[in-house]
Amino acid sequence: MTSAAFIAALEAGDLDGVRRAPKGEAHTHGPFGGDLAFLAGRTGRDIVPLTAPLTTLAEMDAWTAANVADLFKGRDGRRLGWEGAFARARRDGLTRVEFGDDVWMITQQVGDAAELFAGIEAARQAIAPEIDWIPQLGFSRHCKRSWLWRWLTPFLESGGWRSLDLSGDEHAQPIDVFQPLYRACKAHGLRLKAHVGEWGTADEVWRAVETLELDEVQHGIAAADSRSVMRFLADHAIPLNICPTSNLLLGRVARLEDHPIRALYDAGVRVTINSDDALVFGVGVSEEFLALHRAGVFTAAELDVIRRWSLTA
Ligand SMILES: [Zn+2]
């Protein structure tokens, strides 16, 4: 019933109908995945997302610093960010969403590990208690391993976190640097993910999955350049959590019609569709589904298969 309604909504170009179908999101960055209208209502600021492609991650960092970073500072700002993220998730029809905080946040006077967890959970209760939230820890790729150990330890001790992600400049440090940290998180039962193959190569996707024992990959689109890496991902059932509009606006893919998500899907790689940073790129998961259908990348029935995968990730 839900599948039929979702397929009909895609074929009719009906955004509200697409939003009504249950969806999961495994690749979004908390406050940066917030709801534009919700934040405008709370702060009076009309955030204008990107419309033309950037060429570097540094340009995106400059955009966030100029447009939104000040909103999410301090305990109240952090709470606003979390509430905005759950407001967008609710509008987008997400029934399951996976995000959390960078371990570095415990240095930012917004609370200790347990308080950060409680703060996000309180935001969920206030805005969208019906949504299943998967608490995720994050590392930034440029941080020294000794710092990451120090920040991570209280998060593992206080508990409740269920997955781990690594983001930032893919070439800041070799992937091996993070292996002991990932092993510790695996021992604590966390599901392991990392941003790779967005700016890097197919070979780097394969090496990261092997070295860190990843369960899922964030982006990973470069894998489409290699038949053997796609076969490796398919054989090991490693999903790629893909963000098409982010890839376009960061200049990773020139045209949606040519997005490698099609080649990955055809090679048997499990993919999910995600928004990455809805405030920056201006779209949620529902708009991403509609755009892929409109561009002829997938049929509505194929998009329904992908939607159902996102619920069982
Ligand atoms: Zn991301």
Side-chain angles (χ1 to χ4, degrees):
M1 192 59 220
T2 302
S3 288
F6 179 70
I7 288 168
L10 282 172
E11 288 174 344
D14 168 13
L15 177 59
D16 287 336
V18 172
R19 283 174 169 165
R20 275 194 295 275
K23 294 171 289 294
E25 185 169 37
H27 185 165
T28 175
H29 296 271
F32 293 106
D35 187 81
L36 290 162
F38 175 89
L39 291 169
R42 284 289 185 89
T43 68
R45 185 181 304 182
D46 284 318
I47 298 164
V48 180
L50 292 176
T51 49
L54 303 179
T55 51
T56 66
L57 215 47
E59 286 178 337
M60 177 170 152
D61 291 341
W63 185 94
T64 52
N67 290 276
V68 293
D70 62 302
L71 292 179
F72 306 137
K73 290 221 165 91
R75 282 177 189 261
D76 291 348
R78 213 65 199 152
R79 175 66 183 258
L80 175 73
W82 297 125
E83 292 192 354
F86 283 112
R88 198 269 304 170
R90 190 187 49 194
R91 188 194 301 276
D92 214 351
L94 303 185
T95 49
R96 178 189 191 281
V97 66
E98 185 163 339
F99 60 64
D101 239 327
D102 196 295
V103 294
W104 165 79
M105 284 308 295
I106 58 165
T107 69
Q108 297 300 298
Q109 286 82 48
V110 291
D112 63 21
E115 287 167 334
L116 283 166
F117 187 98
I120 304 173
E121 174 58 13
R124 182 181 79 92
Q125 289 293 344
I127 303 295
E130 72 284 2
I131 293 179
D132 184 16
W133 168 52
I134 313 300
Q136 176 176 293
L137 287 177
F139 294 154
S140 293
R141 186 88 177 231
H142 66 276
C143 292
K144 274 190 177 175
R145 184 160 71 193
S146 58
W147 303 346
L148 293 173
W149 272 125
R150 191 163 70 237
W151 301 332
L152 170 67
T153 303
F155 285 95
L156 292 182
E157 285 170 354
S158 65
W161 302 91
R162 290 168 56 191
S163 67
L164 172 68
D165 190 11
L166 171 69
S167 60
D169 178 359
E170 268 185 61
H171 297 115
Q173 298 187 83
I175 203 74
D176 315 55
V177 168
F178 305 95
Q179 189 186 51
L181 295 151
Y182 268 71
R183 291 218 164 130
C185 289
K186 187 182 172 83
H188 278 78
L190 272 63
R191 193 166 168 81
L192 306 179
K193 306 153 74 174
H195 281 60
V196 281
E198 177 189 16
W199 301 82
T201 63
D203 214 43
E204 286 165 349
V205 173
W206 168 76
R207 209 170 322 124
V209 171
E210 291 260 283
T211 305
L212 303 181
E213 298 182 64
L214 298 179
D215 298 298
E216 298 176 28
V217 170
Q218 308 291 66
H219 295 295
I221 53 173
D225 296 335
S226 163
R227 287 252 142 238
S228 59
V229 174
M230 287 196 287
R231 196 173 320 120
F232 168 80
L233 294 169
D235 288 350
H236 291 83
I238 307 289
L240 304 190
N241 299 320
I242 293 177
C243 310
T245 300
S246 165
N247 296 151
L248 291 173
L249 289 174
L250 290 176
R252 303 292 80 214
V253 173
R255 296 187 335 137
L256 188 58
E257 290 78 357
D258 306 326
H259 197 288
I261 192 170
R262 180 74 232 184
L264 291 158
Y265 180 91
D266 287 339
V269 179
R270 188 173 275 226
V271 295
T272 66
I273 292 166
N274 307 270
S275 64
D276 209 1
D277 301 274
L279 283 186
V280 185
F281 305 120
V283 293
V285 180
S286 303
E287 289 92 336
E288 298 278 10
F289 272 107
L290 271 175
L292 287 165
H293 184 259
R294 204 176 300 124
V297 179
F298 289 114
T299 66
E302 288 168 337
L303 289 166
D304 188 56
V305 170
I306 296 171
R307 180 188 68 81
R308 285 185 278 120
W309 282 342
S310 76
L311 297 171
T312 57

